[in-house]
């Protein structure tokens, strides 16, 4: 489809009564349109080509309709600045590319300076429109030619001329605002050279990888300290989050503002929101409406009002409509916290306090959000209605899970007589950002050798129990391990609250059951312990039991383990001794059953860092210390490294495997060495998407189960192909 068929101009009245011209890009019918604009090289190049073709036209906005994406002048003018110097860059580059043709005395010989330089790094005409690609090419050329050691005086002169021309081009490019922003992005994102990621950040200003976000700005704000990060949240980016340092405090400050705050049009947008809010009629229903449907109904009416009364661009209409709806249903204060996937938990200890949160990257943060008595009463009513439970002196606590397209949270409310101030709120986020094994390696939760040992045992269906205190990352770890399971495994999940991941999209087999929580255990037929016992008749390869909470659940778990089922589960404990005490004395488990546990992983949290501090196994026979367990890996806080306390080939879990599998020490160590190379690669290299990671481990598991030779061959080929693609 020709570019001219995608583009047209449209005028609308702005807030000052003047005309705003918009360049409209309508690619709904484009056969090459892809779902993710920023991941598609074709779509990005098409957009840049349109900007280049219309660089001499006058317009105030660019609107990409099919992606509901609005580009403001401060963004596209930066590209116009680049287009102005493009002819000069091309002219200098043509001289570089013709230097051998015009001046070289050794034309008939292979070039000593840069072999195959021009064929490997030549910029094609259509690629010139991308300033980041052009900048990266000349940076690479600079490094290549600088590394060449030339003695021949003729070649040295040629080398110097090329080097000087490249420096001239880089000097021109480095003066451009787009290149300066890209270099700042590289610094804040560990030298990330991916232009797709940069453009997504540049146009949306949203975080890409939470574990690589560093300080984006360093300006001082009154009473807020140094800003650590800022990012947009919500559909249509209606909200902007900023996190600040507090002087001499570990807790950070979390603020959230509407998208228009600080703009010239702020008062006007406030007026529109107030107008929509006043004209939105309270709907009457003869039955309880799901929150998601309620927002949809009100939003449709809000859009009708704003479209009929105000001449604004479509994306702004949607932003203002959603904000008005949240105000109407009294969720404008909590909603930003509910939809921020980087928030792990939300706390309000009493009506007199302000809300504070646990943030995935920045730990404990204070907010300035408080709730008045009317807002608290509305939250109580909201939870009572949707849970169908009482909240009074006879039933002073409610725990209820709400899941919709906006958020997935467990709400806990306490009132008198058990809560001294008559109201406390705890919201546990169940749809936090997914952390993969690569994320856990990069943030220091575990190291490649531990990951290799656990992965080897997952492939052999060994049982893994993760233990630790609350909020130490137990579920995060078993979910990361669960993503590594072979594609063909039939996995059955039994959980009180669904915290496991949805892996159907990765092609995995998952059968999930939700059972009664502790508070709902009246229906004993649907208790967790009862459902665990039925697993023997459902033929699972892996079982995922979530958190083991009660004596009945522990007994049911050991019943399954004794029958040969294996999988993942978590359980709270302070350390391994406490875990043994819970099993033996609290849950009355016979000591002989403990050996069925296979591996136990202990996790700890220090400030905001969650870490595996030990990997253990149950002793199959009494040892010299009469200990029930032995340590395999142990974390040393002084060196920040993990120590291997004994040969992993001599561990009990591997010894058990040698009874049924031909697994010599040499063969086992070759597997571990190969897996260690894989996890080292993930640690040191750019993050893979979840789909890429799962697909990689599907292939790794397939080749691993064939032979050690096959997995080594596959891994070497995969590494080579990836480096070529990059």
């Amino acid at each position: 489809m020709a570019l001219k068929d995608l583009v047209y101009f449209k005028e609308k009245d702005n807030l000052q009564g003047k005309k705003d011209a918009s360049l409209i890009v309508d690619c709904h019918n484009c056969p090459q349109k892809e779902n993710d604009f920023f991941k598609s090289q074709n779509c990005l190049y098409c957009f840049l080509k349109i900007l280049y073709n219309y660089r001499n036209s006058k317009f105030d906005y660019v609107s990409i309709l099919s992606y509901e994406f609005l580009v403001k002048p401060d963004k596209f003018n930066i590209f116009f600045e680049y287009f102005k110097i493009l002819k000069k860059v091309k002219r200098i580059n043509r001289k570089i590319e013709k230097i051998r043709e015009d001046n070289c005395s050794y034309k008939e010989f292979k070039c000593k300076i840069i072999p195959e330089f021009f064929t490997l790094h030549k910029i094609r005409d259509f690629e010139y429109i991308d300033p980041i690609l052009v900048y990266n090419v000349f940076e690479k050329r600079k490094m290549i030619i600088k590394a060449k050691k030339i003695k021949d005086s003729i070649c040295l002169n040629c080398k110097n001329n090329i080097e000087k021309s490249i420096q001239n081009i880089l000097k021109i490019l480095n003066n451009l605002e787009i290149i300066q922003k890209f270099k700042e992005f590289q610094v804040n994102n560990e030298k990330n050279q991916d232009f797709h990621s940069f453009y997504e950040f540049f146009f949306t200003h949203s975080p890409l990888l939470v574990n690589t976000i560093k300080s984006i700005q360093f300006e001082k704000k009154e009473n807020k300290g140094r800003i650590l990060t800022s990012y947009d949240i919500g559909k249509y980016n209606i909200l902007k989050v900023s996190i600040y340092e507090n002087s001499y405090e570990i807790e950070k400050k979390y603020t959230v503002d509407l998208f228009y705050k600080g703009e010239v049009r702020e008062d006007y947008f406030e007026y529109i929101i107030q107008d929509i809010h006043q004209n939105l009629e309270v709907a009457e229903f003869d039955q309880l409406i799901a929150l998601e449907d309620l927002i949809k109904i009100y939003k449709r009416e809000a859009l009708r009002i704003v479209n009929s009364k105000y001449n604004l661009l479509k994306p702004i209409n949607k932003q203002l409509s959603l904000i008005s709806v949240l105000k109407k249903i009294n969720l404008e204060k909590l909603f930003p916290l509910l939809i921020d996937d980087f928030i792990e938990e939300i706390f309000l200890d009493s009506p007199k306090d302000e809300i504070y949160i646990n943030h995935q990257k920045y730990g404990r943060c204070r907010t300035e959000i408080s709730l008045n008595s009317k807002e608290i009463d509305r939250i109580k009513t909201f939870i009572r209605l949707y849970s169908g439970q009482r909240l009074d002196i006879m039933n002073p606590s409610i725990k209820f899970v709400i899941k919709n397209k906006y958020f997935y949270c467990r709400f806990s409310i306490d009132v008198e007589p058990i809560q001294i101030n008559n109201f406390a709120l705890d919201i546990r986020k169940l749809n936090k950002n997914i952390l993969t094994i690569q994320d856990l390696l990069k943030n220091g939760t575990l190291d490649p050798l531990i990951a290799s040992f656990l992965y080897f045992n997952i492939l052999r269906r060994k049982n893994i129990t993760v233990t630790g205190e609350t909020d130490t990352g137990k579920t995060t770890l078993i979910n990361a391990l669960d993503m590594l399971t072979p594609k063909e495994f039939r996995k059955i999940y039994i959980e009180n609250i669904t915290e496991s991941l949805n892996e159907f999209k990765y092609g995995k087999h998952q059968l999930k059951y939700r059972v009664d929580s502790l508070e709902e255990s009246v229906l004993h037929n649907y208790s967790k312990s009862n459902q665990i016992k039925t697993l023997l008749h459902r033929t699972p390869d892996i079982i995922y039991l979530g958190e083991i909470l009660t004596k009945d659940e522990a007994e049911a778990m050991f019943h399954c383990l004794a029958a040969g089922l294996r999988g993942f589960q978590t359980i709270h404990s302070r350390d391994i001794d406490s875990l043994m005490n819970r099993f033996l004395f609290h849950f009355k488990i016979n000591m002989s059953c403990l050996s069925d546990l296979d591996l136990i992983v202990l996790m700890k949290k220090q400030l905001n860092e969650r870490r595996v501090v030990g990997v253990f196994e149950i002793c199959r026979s009494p040892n010299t210390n009469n200990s029930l367990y032995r340590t395999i890996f142990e974390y040393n806080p002084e060196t920040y490294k993990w120590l291997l306390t004994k040969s992993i080939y001599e561990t009990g879990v591997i010894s058990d495997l040698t009874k049924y599998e031909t697994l010599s020490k040499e063969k086992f160590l070759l597997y571990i060495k190969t897996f260690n190379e894989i996890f080292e690669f993930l640690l040191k290299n750019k993050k893979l998407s979840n789909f890429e990671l799962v697909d990689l481990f599907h292939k790794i598991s397939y080749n691993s189960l064939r032979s050690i030779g096959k997995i080594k061959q596959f891994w070497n080929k995969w590494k080579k192909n990836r480096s070529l693609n990059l």
Side-chain angles (χ1 to χ4, degrees):
M1 183 175 285
L3 288 182
K4 62 178 181 170
D5 297 328
L6 302 176
V7 180
Y8 61 91
F9 286 94
K10 187 175 182 179
E11 285 191 343
K12 273 200 171 189
D13 292 333
N14 63 22
L15 302 177
Q16 288 76 38
K18 298 179 181 179
K19 297 288 185 182
D20 271 347
S22 293
L23 178 67
I24 308 296
V25 182
D26 187 356
C27 39
H28 280 103
N29 298 319
C30 178
Q32 294 182 309
K33 176 181 176 291
E34 299 185 34
N35 291 332
D36 193 327
F37 176 83
F38 293 106
K39 294 293 187 294
S40 167
Q41 185 166 332
N42 286 334
C43 292
L44 275 171
Y45 274 2
C46 180
F47 171 64
L48 293 176
K49 183 70 173 175
I50 288 169
L51 285 183
Y52 181 77
N53 288 352
Y54 289 90
R55 65 192 183 277
N56 295 320
S57 302
K58 291 185 177 181
F59 47 88
D60 301 286
Y61 298 97
V62 179
S63 179
I64 306 177
L65 293 184
S66 55
Y67 296 101
E68 296 185 349
F69 177 40
L70 184 70
V71 185
K72 297 180 181 179
D74 63 321
K75 301 295 184 185
F76 60 71
N77 284 335
I78 286 177
F79 288 92
F80 292 164
E81 180 191 23
Y82 166 69
F83 296 150
K84 286 178 183 177
I85 57 93
L86 193 49
K87 283 186 178 180
K88 188 172 183 180
V89 170
K90 285 183 177 181
R91 186 171 64 252
I92 299 173
N93 192 43
R94 276 195 294 270
K95 288 182 180 178
I96 296 175
E97 293 178 349
K98 291 181 68 179
I99 197 166
R100 202 175 179 212
E101 179 184 330
D102 296 340
N103 304 319
C104 185
S105 302
Y106 304 108
K107 289 181 186 177
E108 65 273 24
F109 302 106
K110 191 174 181 180
C111 180
K112 297 181 195 176
I113 305 173
I114 309 171
E116 302 176 344
F117 175 79
F118 302 119
T119 56
L120 285 176
H121 302 290
K122 192 167 184 177
I123 304 173
R124 293 169 291 184
D125 283 341
F126 73 90
E127 291 176 325
Y128 271 110
I129 60 170
D130 182 357
I132 306 306
L133 181 144
V134 172
Y135 172 75
N136 281 336
V137 167
F138 283 107
E139 276 289 322
K140 184 177 284 188
R141 287 184 178 184
K142 182 182 77 171
M143 289 187 289
I144 292 172
I145 197 168
K146 191 173 182 180
K148 287 291 176 182
K149 305 298 181 184
I150 304 295
K151 294 182 179 179
D152 186 295
S153 60
I154 296 176
C155 291
L156 182 61
N157 184 56
C158 186
K159 173 182 180 290
N160 290 338
N161 287 335
I162 293 176
E163 196 167 12
K164 185 177 179 181
S165 296
I166 292 172
Q167 287 172 348
N168 286 340
I169 290 175
L170 286 173
K171 184 177 179 181
I172 295 169
L173 294 174
N174 280 319
N175 285 327
L176 298 173
E177 189 174 354
I178 186 70
I179 301 303
Q180 291 168 6
K181 288 184 177 296
F182 177 63
K183 289 164 74 174
E184 181 184 350
F185 173 81
Q186 287 182 299
V187 171
N188 291 329
N189 290 271
E190 299 177 356
K191 289 292 181 181
N192 187 340
Q193 302 253 347
D194 179 13
F195 75 95
H196 295 284
S197 299
F198 167 70
Y199 282 137
E200 181 172 3
F201 175 81
F202 174 74
F203 285 114
T204 67
H205 207 63
S206 60
L208 302 168
L209 302 173
V210 68
N211 61 328
T212 62
I213 295 175
K214 296 183 182 177
S215 301
I216 295 170
Q217 304 176 54
F218 292 94
E219 76 262 23
K220 290 284 183 179
K221 293 203 174 183
E222 186 178 359
N223 298 325
K224 287 184 178 177
R226 182 170 67 96
I227 191 168
L228 297 171
T229 190
S230 62
Y231 53 90
D232 297 325
I233 57 172
K235 197 172 182 181
Y236 321 122
N237 290 334
I238 64 169
L239 300 159
K240 181 177 181 179
V241 169
S242 298
I243 298 178
Y244 300 87
E245 259 185 350
N246 281 325
S247 299
Y248 305 107
E249 291 184 20
I250 291 175
E251 289 182 313
K252 311 299 186 292
K253 187 165 189 174
Y254 179 101
T255 67
V256 59
D257 287 313
L258 296 169
F259 74 94
Y260 56 78
K261 287 296 181 181
E263 290 194 8
V264 176
R265 298 180 288 178
E266 180 178 336
D267 291 343
Y268 185 74
F269 287 149
E270 293 279 7
Y271 167 79
I272 294 174
I273 290 169
Q274 189 63 31
D275 185 36
I276 298 170
H277 177 259
Q278 290 174 352
N279 285 280
L280 267 179
E281 296 184 5
V282 177
E284 293 185 6
F285 305 102
D286 55 6
Q287 61 183 9
L288 187 63
I289 301 293
L291 179 63
E292 185 176 330
D293 294 332
L294 189 65
I295 292 174
K296 185 177 180 181
I297 291 167
Y298 275 124
K299 195 171 75 173
R300 189 185 304 129
E301 177 62 14
L303 269 172
R304 186 193 65 76
I305 294 170
V306 73
N307 285 332
S308 65
K309 298 182 71 174
Y310 302 99
N311 195 9
L312 299 170
L313 294 172
K314 185 177 178 182
I316 296 177
N317 289 351
K318 291 184 175 181
Q319 290 172 315
L320 297 178
S321 297
L322 182 54
I323 293 167
S324 304
V325 171
L326 296 176
K327 187 177 179 66
K328 193 70 177 179
I329 62 176
N330 302 301
L331 268 181
E332 70 268 28
K333 286 187 178 180
L334 277 183
F335 192 78
L337 308 179
L338 297 176
I339 64 172
D340 185 347
D341 288 339
F342 296 142
I343 292 179
E344 298 176 326
E345 201 153 3
I346 303 162
F347 308 100
L348 180 64
D349 296 337
S350 85
K352 299 175 183 178
D353 288 340
E354 293 175 331
I355 290 173
Y356 58 102
I357 64 166
N358 283 346
H359 193 277
Q360 194 176 80
K361 178 171 176 61
Y362 294 100
R364 184 65 49 78
C365 299
R366 292 178 178 270
T367 78
E368 295 178 344
I369 302 170
S370 59
L371 302 176
N372 59 40
S373 58
K374 288 185 178 180
E375 290 166 336
I376 288 172
D377 287 340
R378 286 166 184 155
I379 290 172
K380 289 179 183 177
T381 303
F382 174 78
I383 297 299
R384 275 201 305 262
L385 280 172
Y386 281 98
S387 68
Q389 301 177 44
R390 296 170 57 180
L391 185 64
D392 51 32
I393 193 169
M394 300 299 294
N395 187 52
S397 292
I398 289 180
K399 285 187 179 179
F400 183 64
V401 174
I402 298 179
K403 183 177 183 180
N404 52 56
K405 73 175 185 178
Y406 296 105
F407 57 83
Y408 179 25
C409 302
R410 184 187 68 206
F411 290 75
S412 300
I413 294 179
D414 298 308
V415 297
E416 289 181 338
I418 65 168
Q419 214 289 324
I420 196 169
N421 292 305
N422 199 28
F423 184 77
L425 176 66
D426 181 344
I427 304 174
R428 182 75 180 269
K429 302 289 289 297
L430 303 175
N431 60 337
K432 303 186 289 283
N433 275 346
I434 295 171
L435 294 182
T436 65
I437 196 70
Q438 187 175 18
D439 295 317
L440 299 183
L441 288 164
K442 286 181 175 293
N443 67 23
T445 299
L446 73 172
D447 72 357
L449 184 57
I450 294 176
S452 302
F453 181 66
L454 294 177
Y455 181 61
F456 182 88
N457 282 282
I458 289 169
L459 294 181
R460 269 73 181 174
R461 297 178 51 248
K462 288 294 184 179
N463 192 68
I464 297 175
T465 303
V466 182
T467 189
E469 298 166 353
T470 185
D471 197 32
T472 51
K474 300 182 293 296
T475 301
T476 298
L477 178 60
I478 64 170
N479 281 341
L481 296 176
D482 190 33
M483 288 180 72
L484 304 183
T485 52
K487 189 176 183 179
E488 67 274 11
F489 275 15
R490 172 175 163 83
K491 300 189 292 184
I492 300 182
Y493 300 70
I494 296 181
E495 302 173 85
N496 302 100
I497 296 172
T498 305
E499 294 191 81
S500 58
L501 305 178
N502 178 6
E503 298 177 357
F504 289 108
K505 56 189 175 184
Y506 306 128
K508 294 181 184 286
H509 303 297
Q510 289 184 298
L511 173 60
K512 293 194 173 189
Y513 293 93
R514 185 178 68 83
V515 293
D516 294 332
S517 65
L518 288 173
E519 293 80 7
E520 302 166 336
S521 57
V522 178
L523 299 173
H524 188 66
N525 287 337
Y526 300 108
S527 68
K528 188 171 185 176
S529 58
N530 215 39
Q531 289 300 312
I532 290 173
K533 292 173 184 176
T534 67
L535 287 171
L536 295 172
H537 305 288
R538 291 179 175 142
T539 325
D541 294 307
I542 287 285
I543 57 175
Y544 182 113
L545 302 183
E547 185 178 354
I548 302 299
L549 292 167
T550 67
K551 180 177 184 292
D552 287 344
E553 292 173 8
E555 287 177 345
M557 178 189 78
F558 279 100
H559 175 70
C560 286
L561 296 181
L565 300 185
R566 295 289 184 268
F568 307 109
Q569 56 277 323
T570 69
I571 184 168
H572 282 85
S573 73
R574 186 182 65 189
D575 52 33
I576 302 299
D577 288 324
S578 298
L579 179 63
M580 296 298 104
N581 286 338
R582 289 198 74 187
F583 282 141
L584 295 174
F585 302 113
H586 298 198
F587 296 157
K588 307 298 182 185
I589 303 298
N590 191 290
M591 189 182 298
S592 62
C593 297
L594 297 181
S595 60
D596 290 326
L597 289 171
D598 291 337
L599 294 172
I600 304 170
V601 180
L602 175 64
M603 300 196 71
K604 288 284 186 182
K605 180 181 177 182
Q606 181 68 27
L607 296 178
N608 196 44
E609 293 182 349
R610 297 168 176 87
R611 184 175 288 112
V612 170
V613 294
V615 179
F616 307 85
E617 66 176 351
I618 301 297
C619 296
R620 305 303 168 103
S621 57
N623 60 22
T624 54
N625 297 323
N626 291 320
S627 178
L628 289 172
Y629 59 88
R630 67 168 63 92
T631 306
I632 303 173
F633 292 93
E634 185 175 41
Y635 181 71
N636 185 336
E638 294 182 357
T639 62
Y640 303 101
K641 292 182 180 179
W642 287 265
L643 302 175
L644 180 60
T645 61
K646 65 175 296 181
S647 168
I648 48 178
Y649 183 72
E650 295 172 4
T651 56
V653 286
I654 304 303
S655 296
D656 280 350
L657 289 174
T658 60
K659 297 175 184 177
Y660 313 104
E661 178 183 351
T662 304
L663 189 64
S664 66
K665 185 174 183 178
E666 181 184 11
K667 181 180 178 182
F668 170 74
L669 292 178
L670 281 173
Y671 271 115
I672 294 297
K673 181 182 177 183
T674 305
F675 292 158
N676 194 64
E677 287 179 14
I678 293 169
F679 289 113
E680 283 278 2
F681 179 91
L682 294 178
L683 170 63
K684 295 176 180 178
N685 286 272
K686 182 188 161 191
K687 179 175 164 60
L688 304 180
S689 71
N690 291 353
F691 277 94
E692 288 175 319
L693 187 73
V694 172
D695 180 65
L696 171 62
F697 275 93
H698 282 167
K699 292 171 181 173
I700 290 170
S701 66
Y702 170 74
N703 285 283
S704 297
L705 296 174
R706 294 171 73 194
S707 71
I708 184 61
K710 291 291 184 183
I711 182 57
K712 286 180 69 66
Q713 183 181 4
F714 164 77
W715 175 241
N716 290 331
K717 184 178 179 181
W718 188 91
K719 278 192 303 182
K720 183 178 179 181
N721 289 339
R722 183 159 184 86
S723 63
L724 289 174
N725 291 333
L726 290 176

